[in-house]
Amino acid sequence: MPDFITHIGLTHYVVIATILFTIGLAGVLTGRNVVRVLMAVELMLSAVNINLVAFNNFSPFGDALLGQVFAIFVLTVSAAEASVGLAIVIALYRARATADMEDFNLLKW
């Protein structure tokens, strides 16, 4: 089997994370549904986690598990963000009966 198939380098992880982050960013910028925007934000945070773990794995201090600790911290924060965001979405949906971002103008001037 060729080496380029079995050897996964740092570049592969960075490319995958960049693609995931770009998809998430496009979802945030173009999404009109609030739930879809929350899912896009979670995708962006997952891309950050891939980068954290990959850079930790390929760093000379890879035994320190610092990237994994940061990834777990980011996962915890993203879970809290998702739960608070979904609670806000449910409250807004009960008040307005829509999940469209254009209809939420409570904080606009």
Side-chain angles (χ1 to χ4, degrees), residues 48-82:
V48 169
N49 283 337
I50 289 173
N51 274 336
L52 284 172
V53 173
F55 278 107
N56 184 60
N57 192 26
F58 287 95
S59 76
F61 308 108
D63 295 336
L65 298 177
L66 198 57
Q68 284 86 352
V69 170
F70 278 122
I72 290 173
F73 181 72
V74 169
L75 281 174
T76 306
V77 170
S78 70
E81 173 261 332

Side-chain angles (χ1 to χ4, degrees), residues 7-57:
H7 179 70
I8 298 175
L10 181 62
T11 307
H12 298 93
Y13 292 110
V14 172
V15 167
I16 290 295
T18 303
I19 291 170
L20 283 178
F21 192 84
T22 304
I23 292 171
L25 185 64
V28 167
L29 294 178
T30 62
R32 294 185 57 168
N33 190 330
V34 178
V35 176
R36 186 175 297 165
V37 171
L38 281 175
M39 290 172 46
V41 169
E42 295 296 324
L43 197 61
M44 292 168 64
L45 290 172
S46 296
V48 169
N49 283 337
I50 289 173
N51 274 336
L52 284 172
V53 173
F55 278 107
N56 184 60
N57 192 26

Side-chain angles (χ1 to χ4, degrees), residues 80-99:
E81 173 261 332
S83 63
V84 170
L86 285 175
I88 291 171
V89 167
I90 289 172
L92 286 173
Y93 186 78
R94 286 182 179 167
R96 301 277 176 114
T98 183

